[in-house]
């Protein structure tokens, strides 16, 4: 009877070890979702920086065509960046508004070049 008891005790210990190992593996998976969110935020921030650079370059190139449009876009960009720095708008919304501003500037720049 003793060898059977030793096997039962060994099986219980092995089961406990497997449960603990499984718990640790599950917590590691949960931690990576936090890292994924940080990486997404980093990509959004980098995209916003790039969009601002493109808008500023387009403003410099369009400065001699229509000052009213360039001035309004400058004011909107200043307002947007100020609101983002204060935390009034989220990064995703900031990127969407930069897209809109970029498309407006691009359309206006294309119209100015066509005339």
């Amino acid at each position: 009877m003793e060898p059977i008891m030793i096997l039962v005790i060994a099986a219980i210990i092995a089961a406990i070890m497997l449960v603990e190992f499984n718990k640790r593996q599950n917590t590691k998976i949960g931690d990576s979702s936090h890292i994924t969110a940080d990486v997404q935020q980093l990509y959004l921030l980098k995209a916003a920086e790039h969009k601002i650079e493109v808008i500023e370059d387009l403003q410099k190139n369009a400065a001699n065509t229509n000052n009213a449009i360039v001035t309004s876009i400058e004011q909107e960009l200043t307002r947007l960046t100020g609101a983002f720095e204060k935390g009034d708008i989220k990064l995703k919304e900031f990127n969407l508004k930069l897209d809109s501003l970029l498309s407006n500037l691009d359309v206006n720049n294309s119209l100015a070049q066509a005339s």
Side-chain angles (χ1 to χ4, degrees), residues 23-93:
K23 284 182 185 177
R24 288 184 184 165
Q25 291 298 328
N26 286 340
T27 57
K28 285 181 183 178
I29 291 171
D31 290 343
S32 68
S33 66
H34 177 66
I35 293 170
T36 303
D38 288 345
V39 170
Q40 288 173 346
Q41 291 292 95
L42 185 62
Y43 280 132
L44 283 173
L45 188 59
K46 189 65 177 174
E49 289 174 359
H50 178 69
K51 289 172 189 175
I52 291 172
E53 289 173 3
V54 169
I55 289 170
E56 289 173 347
D57 286 345
L58 286 173
Q59 283 176 330
K60 289 176 188 174
N61 293 338
N64 54 8
T65 56
N66 192 345
N67 282 338
I69 294 170
V70 172
T71 304
S72 71
I73 289 176
E74 260 180 36
Q75 290 171 347
E76 181 67 16
L77 182 61
T78 303
R79 187 189 66 78
L80 280 174
T81 53
F84 176 69
E85 288 172 354
K86 288 179 187 175
D88 293 340
I89 59 174
K90 294 184 179 185
L91 184 57
K92 196 168 191 173
E93 183 181 350

Side-chain angles (χ1 to χ4, degrees), residues 10-23:
I12 291 172
I13 292 172
I16 291 171
M17 289 174 61
L18 284 173
V19 168
E20 286 297 317
F21 179 75
N22 192 21
K23 284 182 185 177

Side-chain angles (χ1 to χ4, degrees), residues 65 107-115:
T65 56
V107 167
N108 292 331
N109 192 25
S110 297
L111 290 175
Q113 288 177 357
S115 54

Side-chain angles (χ1 to χ4, degrees), residues 1-10:
M1 224 13 151
E2 284 186 35
I4 294 177
M5 288 302 285
I6 292 173
L7 287 175
V8 169
I9 292 172

